[in-house]
Amino acid sequence: MAKRLVFITNQLPYPPQSGGVIKSWRLLERLCRDFEVALISPLKGTDPDHLDELKKRLPLIAVHTQAIDRPRTGLNFLRSLVAAPTLNVYRNQHPALRKAAIMAIAQADLVLVDHLEVFPYVPRGTRIPVALHQHNAEFVMWERSRDVATNLAEKTVLMVEAARVKRFERKACQRADLVFAAPNDQDELAKIGVARDRFRTTYHLGDDSGLTAPPLEFGKADDNLLYVGTLSWPANADGLLWFLADIWPKLRHRHPALTMDIVGRGADGTLQQAVAAAPGVTLHGFVDDLEPFYRKSKVFIAPLRFGSGTKVKVITAMYRGLPCATTSVGAEGLDLVPDRHIMLANDVEGMVSGIDKLISDKTYWTAISSASREKARTELAWDPMLDRHVADLLHLLPESTPPL
């Protein structure tokens, strides 16, 4: 008889079209082959529109959801100081989901917490094994966000929150029986006291359907840049605002006909205004099919200044063979060689000159396109990794034998 697993995540893991949602979906899909799975998830934004389709796609034994709308605001930060260990925990709390989690866990053999901020849904004293899937080393993201902030009040808030997240993250990882994390995140978590024997290595991969698409051709692409990502995520918004303010004007000076497409949901008013003020830049919101954008573009950009973990957007561009211009933050955890697999720069002038070369130099563009796609094909595959994760989870159960 299949063992029962409770999968607790921070938003509906469907449709799998961006960032961590792709990872959550692929993991949940794979778990349903070996476990009877109950899903517990807040619903955010347009999640309710996709709930019925998720239920049709997966043989889940139970689905417990609850709409939660608590934006990342100053007022909610103040409320979280009283009501929760961190802001993001507060933003994901709901009594109905807590009750559902308690009841589901009481009937389960195993719990997998997918995202740190929903870890409090696991009751203290839970006697079954608990695994934590760390999408990032969260405290690192807050510390890096603090470091790039220029407003004193904002920097102070970020300093306070980074310390809160670090304390909570350490306790959650120490409480879990197993922690899935990328190698670079394991290093950061070990520095704050998490035992290395708890870790199992994971990666955030992308939509690997791009590997089966025909190769892109330099001569058939426009002088166009492409960005794809969840725009409500602070690290993504910050990077784009930096790019539009400091890098885009210099690129347009060198290439007056250069254009850029930004694809993704959740752009706030500040980002929308920045796009409107940038000539040649178009904000598309969510789109169903990214292929036309990949074919028309010469460069994929991931201008991240903070964040942690592997970046799905970068890997997805590699699957498709579209050369990516990113920073050290965007490339971390992937063992990529600059100017072979990727164009990497951390400053404005380096980013401008690197993108300029990708736009203008066919030989350079073709070499990175080919090498990055081959790297993704051979080293960043889904199935072997997810099979290992299932085996790791089964090993937590008494008298269990991993699948052959």
Side-chain angles (χ1 to χ4, degrees):
M1 180 177 177
K3 297 295 184 178
R4 181 169 294 192
L5 180 146
V6 178
F7 188 90
I8 309 174
T9 190
N10 70 342
Q11 69 178 92
L12 195 74
Y14 192 85
Q17 293 169 328
S18 65
V21 179
I22 295 174
K23 176 67 175 296
S24 297
W25 170 257
R26 294 296 293 260
L27 181 56
L28 182 59
E29 187 180 42
R30 178 63 182 82
L31 291 171
C32 285
R33 289 165 45 188
D34 285 83
F35 297 93
E36 293 181 345
V37 180
L39 172 66
I40 295 174
S41 173
L43 298 179
K44 302 172 183 177
T46 61
D47 284 351
D49 299 338
H50 305 290
L51 181 57
D52 288 342
E53 183 62 24
L54 177 140
K55 292 178 179 179
K56 293 176 184 176
R57 296 284 301 272
L58 294 178
L60 298 165
I61 61 169
V63 177
H64 304 283
T65 60
Q66 177 65 52
I68 300 178
D69 181 16
R70 288 188 186 142
R72 190 180 285 106
T73 63
L75 180 58
N76 279 335
F77 169 71
L78 293 175
R79 288 169 173 160
S80 77
L81 294 174
V82 176
T86 75
L87 171 60
N88 283 339
V89 168
Y90 175 72
R91 294 178 60 226
N92 286 275
Q93 286 184 156
H94 197 281
L97 282 185
R98 184 178 303 278
K99 181 178 179 180
I102 291 171
M103 295 179 64
I105 291 170
Q107 303 174 56
D109 301 289
L110 181 67
V111 183
L112 176 57
V113 180
D114 178 54
H115 285 283
L116 175 69
E117 55 261 42
V118 290
F119 196 87
Y121 281 116
V122 180
R124 291 194 173 276
T126 294
R127 297 184 178 182
I128 61 175
V130 178
L132 172 60
H133 177 209
Q134 284 280 88
H135 283 244
N136 304 281
E138 296 289 335
F139 81 92
V140 174
M141 298 178 62
W142 286 94
E143 289 181 343
R144 289 175 176 176
S145 179
R146 174 203 63 197
D147 293 342
V148 302
T150 55
N151 178 279
L152 180 59
E154 180 185 12
K155 187 178 283 287
T156 301
V157 169
L158 291 169
M159 179 179 67
V160 171
E161 190 62 13
R164 296 173 74 208
V165 172
K166 181 183 288 187
R167 287 193 297 271
F168 174 67
E169 193 159 23
R170 180 191 301 115
K171 290 179 181 178
C173 289
Q174 290 174 339
R175 186 177 158 200
D177 297 284
L178 179 155
V179 178
F180 292 113
N184 53 306
D185 289 332
Q186 292 178 27
D187 291 341
E188 297 295 339
L189 292 167
K191 290 177 185 177
I192 65 171
V194 182
R196 284 193 174 273
D197 62 3
R198 272 188 170 79
F199 295 129
R200 300 295 183 273
T201 297
T202 192
Y203 294 97
H204 275 53
L205 307 181
D207 178 7
D208 57 358
S209 62
L211 287 170
T212 61
L216 299 174
E217 297 182 39
F218 180 88
K220 292 184 178 180
D222 300 333
D223 284 354
N224 186 72
L225 311 186
L226 174 62
Y227 179 92
V228 179
T230 302
L231 304 180
S232 58
W233 187 242
N236 290 346
D238 170 82
L240 276 174
L241 290 171
W242 171 58
F243 190 91
L244 291 170
D246 297 346
I247 299 166
W248 183 248
K250 296 178 182 294
L251 285 170
R252 284 279 290 190
H253 179 73
R254 296 191 187 193
H255 302 273
L258 185 66
T259 57
M260 179 164 67
D261 291 308
I262 298 175
V263 178
R265 58 164 61 95
D268 65 11
T270 301
L271 183 54
Q272 291 178 34
Q273 291 173 13
V275 171
V281 180
T282 303
L283 179 62
H284 295 272
F286 173 78
V287 300
D288 289 314
D289 184 11
L290 290 173
E291 181 60 18
F293 291 94
Y294 282 117
R295 287 201 302 266
K296 71 178 284 193
S297 304
K298 279 188 178 168
V299 184
F300 186 93
I301 64 164
L304 291 158
R305 299 197 296 174
F306 63 91
S308 70
T310 53
K311 308 305 182 292
V312 172
K313 61 178 68 66
V314 172
I315 298 173
T316 301
M318 293 172 63
Y319 286 142
R320 193 60 193 87
L322 182 61
C324 180
T326 191
T327 61
S328 297
V329 173
E332 68 182 348
L334 292 175
D335 190 28
L336 302 177
V337 179
D339 295 324
R340 181 181 177 189
H341 303 120
I342 208 156
M343 195 296 292
L344 192 148
N346 292 314
D347 63 309
V348 171
E349 293 305 323
M351 189 67 71
V352 170
S353 62
I355 293 174
D356 178 33
K357 187 174 182 180
L358 282 170
I359 292 170
S360 309
D361 188 334
K362 179 180 179 180
T363 300
Y364 180 63
W365 185 97
T366 303
I368 289 183
S369 173
S370 177
S372 65
R373 204 177 198 198
E374 184 60 23
K375 171 92 172 179
R377 187 190 310 277
T378 57
E379 299 182 27
L380 299 172
W382 276 108
D383 289 345
M385 182 184 74
L386 294 177
D387 287 345
R388 289 195 302 272
H389 292 354
V390 168
D392 290 332
L393 291 170
L394 288 170
H395 274 301
L396 292 177
L397 300 173
E399 301 180 2
S400 62
T401 303
L404 298 176

